[in-house]
Amino acid sequence: MCIFYNKAESNASDLWTNLLKCDIIDINTEELLELINMTKQEKKENAILKEHIENFYHIWTNEKGVYLSYLPDSLKPKGRKPVTATTLEKLERKIIDYYLNREKQEQEEKDKNQLSTLAAIYPLWLKIKGLETNATSYIRRIDNDWNAYYKDDPIVNQDIRTFTKASLKEWALTKIREKSLTKNQYYNMSMIMRQSLTYAVDHELLPSNPFNEFKIEGKLFRKVKKPDDSTQVFLTSERPLIESEAWREFDEKGCTTALAIPLAFQTGVRLGELIAIKETDISSDGKYLHIHRMVQKQERQRPDGTWYPAVWVTVEHTKSSAGDRDVYLTKEARRIIKIILDANKENGFCDHDFLFIHGGKRITPRAVDTRIRKYCDHININRKSTHKIRKSYISSLLDAGININEIRRQVGHEDERTTLHNYAFNRATTAENESDMEKALAS
């Protein structure tokens, strides 16, 4: 092996030139890169020593043969402190290490200064947030809140080290008033500030999070009136008409997508879960449906901060741990499933055993939601989404006196309070309510 190496070489490219002059270069790429990096480091260290001796202080020996010099120290009267070693090499090492450590500290301080604003911290925090969840649509919602509440606000370019409890509370109160925020809207909006500052604390950019030092009075939020029951569920008079529309489309066009709607009324599953049902999810006796996957939107952000168009993907998990469950299939639900399976077989439709297929491919949630809104138009009622079917299912079970814990389990809620607070609505018509009250209050 022939390698020319001289400590006085001007740079790594000179080393490479000398290597090329050899008849044989018996060195691999990794070894070569290591050698080049070594020469760069040596060059840097030599420059540090040269600058120290020329611009700060020389090196000398005392009568005992000890090597001495001085290092900068702003706390000392003369702005310097002594440094000693038994050999020249050891003293040079101390001097070099001092300047390297100072350079490292200066770079760290520079990095901290660069991460001193919300505008700089936010994309780093959002990246971490994205690693904590599989719900990419949640990350996009956060980014939408950033654009709505922060992007054009001067606070994002202020030094976070100047934030105080008082200044942040004033900012929060101003946002609530200017944007007329509800409690939930404020929570979503303020989460960005709160967690970004926590990120800063975790990375030692701040000693503590001042946003955690105050609370907002609940009375300051815009109150949200609970929506009218008729807008949240399909009334007892509406459901038969909607289902009739679905069966009519199936009979006329042979489209099994339409049957997703009557099946939803029988099972109460989420739309993403409904679309992801496979024949193999049905128990051997046909009485239960194992819900353990769903279809969800997959969002992906471009490097410039904008977002690619969302795509639908099937994932092998549910919205929460409680979502993995066995749902009872009524006799009507079993009948609907059999009709769908028979239609798929007759048409030769097959796509990885999925239940709902159109044109040989599995359908998307949009296909179902579009249909139910169309059916609402046909029967001349306000448009309602597939999610309102889920609310109708839960309200039907409550009306029938089913135990709340069993209902919670059937629909995949972690807490029965969610079931009662957000999904319990009156499905009866005005006439039915009046009749029931007459009976209840009759003497």
Side-chain angles (χ1 to χ4, degrees):
M1 178 174 68
C2 177
I3 299 179
F4 295 97
Y5 171 66
N6 188 322
K7 191 172 183 178
E9 291 288 359
S10 61
N11 54 42
S13 63
D14 294 328
L15 173 63
W16 177 249
T17 301
N18 284 329
L19 287 172
L20 292 177
K21 293 177 181 178
C22 300
D23 293 329
I24 300 174
I25 301 178
D26 186 17
I27 186 171
N28 61 35
T29 303
E30 185 176 345
E31 291 171 333
L32 178 60
L33 290 174
E34 183 179 355
L35 185 58
I36 290 172
N37 288 333
M38 286 173 60
T39 62
K40 288 181 178 179
Q41 183 66 16
E42 284 189 3
K43 181 183 177 183
K44 181 176 182 178
E45 293 182 357
N46 287 337
I48 288 173
L49 280 174
K50 182 180 179 182
E51 185 176 353
H52 172 79
I53 293 171
E54 292 180 353
N55 299 327
F56 191 76
Y57 219 88
H58 62 278
I59 297 174
W60 78 97
T61 57
N62 63 15
E63 67 278 1
K64 295 181 180 180
V66 176
Y67 288 83
L68 305 95
S69 187
Y70 284 99
L71 291 174
D73 189 340
S74 60
L75 300 179
K76 299 297 183 181
K78 294 184 178 180
R80 67 188 188 187
K81 64 180 179 180
V83 59
T84 63
T86 56
T87 66
L88 178 61
E89 289 77 10
K90 289 181 179 179
L91 183 63
E92 289 177 342
R93 187 73 261 162
K94 287 184 177 182
I95 294 171
I96 290 168
D97 287 345
Y98 168 82
Y99 285 103
L100 288 176
N101 287 333
R102 189 172 74 171
E103 179 184 325
K104 180 180 178 182
Q105 291 172 0
E106 289 173 350
Q107 184 59 47
E108 288 176 349
E109 186 62 27
K110 183 180 178 181
D111 291 342
K112 285 185 178 182
N113 289 333
Q114 289 177 340
L115 289 177
S116 63
T117 65
L118 282 176
I121 292 172
Y122 168 72
L124 302 178
W125 167 76
L126 189 66
K127 181 179 179 181
I128 297 298
K129 198 71 177 172
L131 296 175
E132 296 175 344
T133 179
N134 293 318
T136 54
S137 57
Y138 172 57
I139 301 303
R140 183 162 188 176
R141 194 214 73 195
I142 292 175
D143 200 48
N144 288 339
D145 284 343
W146 169 267
N147 292 328
Y149 300 115
Y150 292 84
K151 187 178 180 181
D152 298 322
D153 192 316
I155 199 171
V156 303
N157 293 314
Q158 292 178 16
D159 192 324
I160 61 173
R161 292 169 294 189
T162 66
F163 288 173
T164 64
K165 170 185 173 181
S167 66
L168 289 178
K169 184 173 184 179
E170 181 180 353
W171 174 82
L173 291 171
T174 301
K175 279 291 184 198
I176 293 170
R177 185 176 295 273
E178 287 181 347
K179 301 291 185 179
S180 187
L181 300 178
T182 65
K183 185 176 181 179
N184 285 340
Q185 287 173 334
Y186 172 74
Y187 174 81
N188 292 333
M189 182 280 293
S190 63
M191 179 189 69
I192 295 174
M193 174 70 80
R194 182 180 298 103
Q195 294 192 14
S196 290
L197 294 184
T198 296
Y199 175 95
V201 173
D202 292 343
H203 289 76
E204 300 181 354
L205 304 173
L206 281 180
S208 61
N209 186 346
F211 204 84
N212 290 334
E213 297 175 7
F214 65 87
K215 292 184 178 181
I216 301 295
E217 292 287 338
K219 63 183 180 182
L220 297 177
F221 300 118
R222 176 169 59 86
K223 299 298 183 289
V224 180
K225 182 181 177 182
K226 190 169 183 178
D228 188 78
D229 291 32
S230 63
T231 67
Q232 297 302 301
V233 290
F234 287 91
L235 302 180
T236 54
S237 60
E238 296 171 344
R239 174 179 167 181
L241 300 177
I242 288 291
E243 290 185 295
S244 178
E245 288 287 325
W247 282 107
R248 182 180 296 110
E249 182 174 7
F250 172 72
D251 292 337
E252 293 176 356
K253 301 178 181 179
C255 178
T256 57
T257 302
L259 299 188
I261 292 168
L263 184 61
F265 274 111
Q266 294 293 324
T267 59
V269 297
R270 299 178 177 93
L271 180 54
E273 298 168 343
L274 181 69
I275 301 304
I277 294 173
K278 292 186 177 184
E279 182 179 358
T280 50
D281 297 330
I282 303 169
S283 63
S284 57
D285 61 4
K287 293 175 65 176
Y288 286 90
L289 178 65
H290 185 198
I291 299 296
H292 59 104
R293 82 175 67 79
M294 65 180 181
V295 171
Q296 68 177 15
K297 273 187 178 180
Q298 186 179 70
E299 306 276 4
R300 194 159 57 94
Q301 197 169 20
R302 296 186 179 96
D304 64 0
T306 60
W307 293 81
Y308 291 101
V311 294
W312 291 103
V313 296
T314 303
V315 294
E316 294 298 322
H317 60 79
T318 52
K319 186 176 180 180
S320 66
S321 58
D324 191 326
R325 63 200 189 278
D326 291 319
V327 175
Y328 176 68
L329 292 174
T330 62
K331 292 180 180 179
E332 176 62 11
R334 288 175 240 167
R335 184 180 78 87
I336 296 169
I337 290 173
K338 184 178 186 307
I339 291 173
I340 294 170
L341 291 174
D342 290 344
N344 288 342
K345 184 176 181 181
E346 182 179 342
N347 294 320
F349 290 163
C350 182
D351 184 2
H352 296 83
D353 203 37
F354 283 96
L355 188 64
F356 292 104
I357 307 168
H358 182 73
K361 295 182 179 180
R362 75 192 76 169
I363 65 173
T364 66
R366 184 183 298 275
V368 179
D369 241 347
T370 300
R371 275 178 171 78
I372 197 162
R373 294 176 196 276
K374 179 180 70 174
Y375 299 161
C376 289
D377 290 343
H378 287 179
I379 65 173
N380 198 29
I381 65 171
N382 291 330
R383 289 185 171 186
K384 298 175 185 178
S385 67
T386 313
H387 191 59
K388 304 300 171 63
I389 296 180
R390 179 170 164 83
K391 292 183 177 182
S392 302
Y393 170 87
I394 293 172
S395 297
S396 297
L397 297 186
L398 288 169
D399 290 345
I402 305 296
N403 181 274
I404 182 60
N405 195 49
E406 177 61 20
I407 298 175
R408 177 201 63 77
R409 192 188 67 79
Q410 284 286 314
V411 297
H413 285 159
E414 297 279 359
D415 193 321
E416 64 272 8
R417 287 174 295 183
T418 301
T419 312
L420 288 171
H421 183 71
N422 299 318
Y423 291 84
F425 295 93
N426 183 6
R427 301 176 303 119
T429 63
T430 301
E432 289 171 332
N433 285 327
E434 291 172 353
S435 177
D436 289 340
M437 291 183 73
E438 290 285 352
K439 292 176 184 177
L441 300 175
S443 56

